[in-house]
Amino acid sequence: GAGVSQSPSNKVTEKGKDVELRCDPISGHTALYWYRQSLGQGLEFLIYFQGNSAPDKSGLPSDRFSAERTGGSVSTLTIQRTQQEDSAVYLCASSPQGAGSYEQYFGPGTRLTVT
Amino acid sequence: DQQVKQNSPSLSVQEGRISILNCDYTNSMFDYFLWYKKYPAEGPTFLISISSIKDKNEDGRFTVFLNKSAKHLSLHIVPSQPGDSAVYVCAADSNTGNQFYFGTGTSLTVIP
């Protein structure tokens, strides 16, 4: 079946602009995660959704970052007033169960470059 | 602050030999550990995991060992195959069960 998809695959934006990154999880997966992979760093947890709610937003690096999930499916990560340090690959993952399910299926990522 | 560390950025192994990939962590509250395999331009793929109540978990050619006192885990691949060439990422779970910490990865090259 179809895996996790993300769009766009690449995004170049000017500093100060807003961007939206989209994640389509595997159908039926209740849990959805957003991560950020910066150059030379490990994957950084951003936010976790169980259904449409986000019980853990502690990883969001600033109030410029927000995310939502609708219909228990598609999720959007929004970065407002982008800064150069936001440049990274943003990865989405979904899981068939809730918290405690460790088998996460990752999308290919969105490479964000802020100029 | 990197709570999960993979200090070897790369490793080369001859086909048929054992590959040993290492991972260290700092947070004693971590209770579940995972290894992911990652190809360029793709997201990580789950490979194998281990709970802190165990010290070894085996799945085919892949075995993960956990040394809690040393806060160290390792992934053994034996025999190594050229198709195993990829980046291997170690991850640990905080006790919340929904926040994962990842290492920076080790690039494994298996030489035919």
Side-chain angles (χ1 to χ4, degrees):
Chain A
V4 177
S5 62
Q6 292 184 246
S7 61
S9 56
N10 275 287
K11 177 71 177 178
V12 180
T13 189
E14 291 180 354
K15 177 182 172 181
K17 301 277 190 181
D18 298 351
V19 294
E20 278 191 359
L21 311 180
R22 177 188 168 108
C23 172
D24 282 89
I26 293 173
S27 178
H29 281 195
T30 57
L32 186 147
Y33 306 77
W34 281 99
Y35 297 91
R36 178 167 71 174
Q37 170 89 69
S38 301
L39 192 65
Q41 301 293 317
L43 280 167
E44 175 189 3
F45 170 81
L46 296 179
I47 191 169
Y48 154 72
F49 285 93
Q50 178 59 33
N52 290 335
S53 64
D56 189 351
K57 300 180 181 179
S58 62
L60 293 176
S62 77
D63 58 8
R64 296 186 294 106
F65 287 72
S66 62
E68 65 175 14
R69 188 180 185 195
T70 56
S73 179
V74 172
S75 177
T76 304
L77 177 69
T78 302
I79 309 172
Q80 295 178 309
R81 305 181 303 282
T82 52
Q83 303 295 312
Q84 289 186 330
E85 60 263 28
D86 300 334
S87 297
V89 175
Y90 289 81
L91 284 163
C92 171
S94 70
S95 178
Q97 301 172 32
S101 172
Y102 301 99
E103 193 162 331
Q104 298 187 23
Y105 298 80
F106 282 80
T110 293
R111 181 174 296 279
L112 175 66
T113 303
V114 181
T115 61
Chain B
D1 181 33
Q2 198 74 18
Q3 297 194 46
V4 177
K5 298 178 183 178
Q6 293 177 256
N7 293 318
S8 298
S10 63
L11 175 69
S12 290
V13 172
Q14 205 73 32
E15 180 179 5
R17 298 290 188 104
I18 184 170
S19 295
I20 300 176
L21 300 129
N22 294 304
C23 178
D24 297 290
Y25 61 97
T26 58
N27 190 338
S28 59
M29 297 300 292
F30 288 151
D31 60 1
Y32 210 92
F33 305 88
L34 311 91
W35 283 95
Y36 288 85
K37 185 176 179 181
K38 188 178 184 306
Y39 293 109
E42 294 183 13
T45 303
F46 172 77
L47 190 59
I48 192 169
S49 64
I50 188 167
S51 163
S52 60
I53 63 173
K54 294 185 175 182
D55 54 19
K56 176 183 174 182
N57 188 27
E58 189 173 351
D59 183 3
R61 297 185 297 112
F62 301 89
T63 303
V64 56
F65 295 91
L66 176 62
N67 182 333
K68 291 184 287 294
S69 60
K71 295 192 181 69
H72 177 84
L73 66 155
S74 60
L75 174 67
H76 292 211
I77 306 173
V78 56
S80 301
Q81 299 173 355
D84 296 330
S85 297
V87 173
Y88 289 80
V89 181
C90 170
D93 170 46
S94 70
N95 58 1
T96 63
N98 58 27
Q99 184 161 342
F100 295 85
Y101 297 84
F102 292 79
T104 52
T106 296
S107 178
L108 173 66
T109 301
V110 180
I111 304 164

